[in-house]
Amino acid sequence: MINSVNEIIDSFFTESFEIDKESFSKIKKKYTTSITDSLDKGHLTTNVCMIAAGILKKNPRELSVSLASELQKSINIEEAISAGPGFINIYLTRGAFVHSIKQANNELLSYGNSKGENKRKIQIEFVSANPTGPLHVGHGRGAAYGDAIGRILEACGHEVEKEYYVNDAGRQIDILTSSVSLRLMGVDDEEMPESSYRGKYIAEIAEKYIQSYGNSAHDKDIIMANLPGDSEKEIDEITRRIKKDPTLWNSIKELSLNEVLHSIKHDLKEFNVIHDRWYFESSLGRLEDPSSQISNAMSYLEKKGQAYKEDGALWLNTSLAKDDKNRVLVREDGRPTYFASDVAYHKDKIDRGFDTLINVWGADHHGYIKRIESSIEGLGFDKEKLNVQLVQFANLFRDGKKVKMSTRSGEFYTLKDLIKEIGRDAARFYYLSKQADQHLDFDIDLAKSDNKENIFYYIQYAHARICSLQNKFMEDNASLPNSSIEIELNNYKKCDELIHEISKFPGVVQRSAANLHPHLIIYFLKDFAQSFHSFYNDNHVLSESSKNTESILYCLNAAKQVLANGLNLLGIKPIEKM
RNA sequence: GCGCCCGUAGCUCAGCUGGAUAGAGUACUUGGCUACGAACCAAGGGGUCGGGAGUUCGAAUCUCUCCGGGCGCACCA
């Protein structure tokens, strides 16, 4: 509908005025026709006259009066009125206005989706937590966010691949392996080094290891003798000693990594988050191997003159792209930095042919963005391909107090705990309820409460109420109604506000996709639920005349579809019965 | 010092590429179940959108500047 209005507007300007191409494209670029926020301004509104007035040096009011009379000729438009400083408020014919009810009833699950004129191949990399322990509540936010934008982008016609980058090659994995090894040697809670992982899950992994391989531990007295005082050096020295038995090391490492990955995958599945691909850092290969991906990436950068040797290390000239300083790719001693792996990984992602790479990162990584962007430019690609979305940490509150979390000691509130306490869908909902790059105070008590303050249930309640009405109706009828005849004939108008809201939904989904903002859907659903509850309270649907009841129910089915589709885009299952 | 984010009602927050009288929830004061689910609805008060300047027909929204708060700035991962 908006498109056909825009066509009239465009031809009005191109045909009625001697207008050069440049001015017209300026107007076309700036003006908008949109659904009004409330019905007292009509159904649609456009600001084109105020935009054009400045460019054509005309009076906006006069423009709007003549454009309004032009618009009124359209068969879908009942009336077009010039309003305010030069807006045009458009009243659609009854048929055009109620069209969205039919559309939602016909398209069902795909109502709100769009075809995507510029369909892109998009990769979203998210969560990517180091596989050194269970996911905690901080990871949950990134998981919910990445998954939701994936669903929303797909609904807008894009091709989306979701990926988890597994850092299985670095020092953190060494520490994990050492931690498990120490447990196997019988090191107890008190004795565990400060920098080791000490959570309960470490002991559980050790237990698993014993079950599979028996207890073939290192000699505790040798490993633990004369360790350096500095806690970081201490754990590294322990690792060095344990690694002297490579067979044992590798078997412990392999089992530990598998166990942790298994639990991460399990938690994500419980959270309704599925990654299409798990990409292992180790698959980039080693620098010693000249045919590995990481070697290829490094030599490619060197050949292009982007990387250079200095003080025995290999540096990337990132400051050319406005990074503060150049960064080391390969250390003096020949070991690659984490950055080197990341460069190689991003090269691989681009080589795989994605138009857009969305990286969902924890906010503490924001200093890292410029560096990666520079490396992408250094590789000869447009840095616009990369879109980094930062996710701020979520603070949990219970009884008005912040829930404490200390990661190293292992006493932390895991994602699993959260799902168990408030449920998967409520957790997803509240993670998504605020723009991702802003701090989120996650109130556990609120998420469990059962009043309007808990907007998750407020929205679900609207859906459940419609289901309940339908069930009641079905007690005496064979099937649900399939038209809104009384509403179409304008005999019943009390649903109008709701219909107006139904028609807004596809636009909300598009905006949400364009900005990568799932929370826009949440706030829309909240307002939408409010419109419904208000209608429901004022009107007793099932005691209307049978014609009216049927028409209303057909309309409410469209409303139910909007609620369901909105929730589905967030990865949340609509509730049919509270 | 440099970079990123934030500052909107007492509190928690919405506000889309600039648009018409700045919105919700909560709290406070009231009213509404002999009807489909009261986990609900309705009404009221509450604001110099951190301050200032600029761009514009029009600014909470864009630009600059100042103030206040948070975070990040490794040959760690």
Side-chain angles (χ1 to χ4, degrees), chain A residues 124-127 138-153 160 162 268 271-273 275 358-362 387-392 427-438 440 512-520 569-571:
Chain A
I124 305 174
E125 184 225 314
F126 65 114
V127 188
H139 300 123
R141 194 174 184 193
Y145 178 75
D147 187 69
I149 59 174
R151 289 166 193 266
I152 294 165
L153 288 168
V160 175
K162 302 178 205 169
L268 287 173
F271 201 44
N272 200 13
V273 171
H275 287 85
I358 298 176
N359 287 4
V360 179
W361 283 349
N387 182 339
V388 179
Q389 290 294 314
L390 295 178
V391 176
Q392 284 285 356
R428 286 186 71 114
F429 185 89
Y430 280 102
Y431 273 132
L432 295 171
S433 67
K434 225 187 140 178
Q435 203 168 316
D437 64 356
Q438 287 173 31
L440 172 73
S512 171
N515 301 311
L516 304 179
H517 284 170
H519 74 282
L520 295 179
L569 286 173
L570 306 171

Side-chain angles (χ1 to χ4, degrees), chain A residues 340-396:
Chain A
S341 304
D342 256 3
V343 171
Y345 174 49
H346 281 83
K347 180 174 187 298
D348 179 70
K349 289 208 266 191
I350 294 173
D351 288 344
R352 277 188 265 158
F354 294 107
D355 301 311
T356 302
L357 304 176
I358 298 176
N359 287 4
V360 179
W361 283 349
D364 54 333
H365 283 67
H366 85 244
Y368 206 70
I369 298 176
K370 279 224 171 88
R371 212 178 302 183
I372 286 289
E373 279 179 356
S374 314
S375 75
I376 284 172
E377 284 191 325
L379 288 163
F381 302 106
D382 184 357
K383 72 174 177 191
E384 298 299 318
K385 270 185 186 260
L386 180 72
N387 182 339
V388 179
Q389 290 294 314
L390 295 178
V391 176
Q392 284 285 356
F393 295 112
N395 290 319
L396 281 186

Side-chain angles (χ1 to χ4, degrees), chain A residues 220-254:
Chain A
K220 177 178 160 188
D221 294 333
I222 296 175
I223 301 291
M224 298 291 279
N226 298 322
L227 288 165
D230 178 84
S231 71
E232 296 298 324
K233 282 182 183 151
E234 180 188 33
I235 191 74
D236 286 344
E237 177 59 20
I238 291 171
T239 298
R240 200 184 63 79
R241 293 178 190 177
I242 298 176
K243 269 187 175 172
K244 280 182 181 166
D245 183 345
T247 319
L248 187 53
W249 169 267
N250 283 328
S251 81
I252 295 172
K253 177 174 164 180
E254 196 187 333

Side-chain angles (χ1 to χ4, degrees), chain A residues 48-60:
Chain A
V48 68
C49 296
M50 287 175 295
I51 305 288
I55 292 166
L56 301 175
K57 307 262 184 283
K58 304 245 181 219
N59 180 306

Side-chain angles (χ1 to χ4, degrees), chain A residues 155-167:
Chain A
C156 290
H158 299 294
E159 191 183 327
V160 175
E161 189 175 311
K162 302 178 205 169
E163 184 160 299
Y164 189 119
Y165 180 60
V166 186
N167 297 118

Side-chain angles (χ1 to χ4, degrees), chain A residues 48 103 249 284 290 461 475:
Chain A
V48 68
Q103 209 181 339
W249 169 267
L284 293 167
Y461 187 37
E475 285 172 10

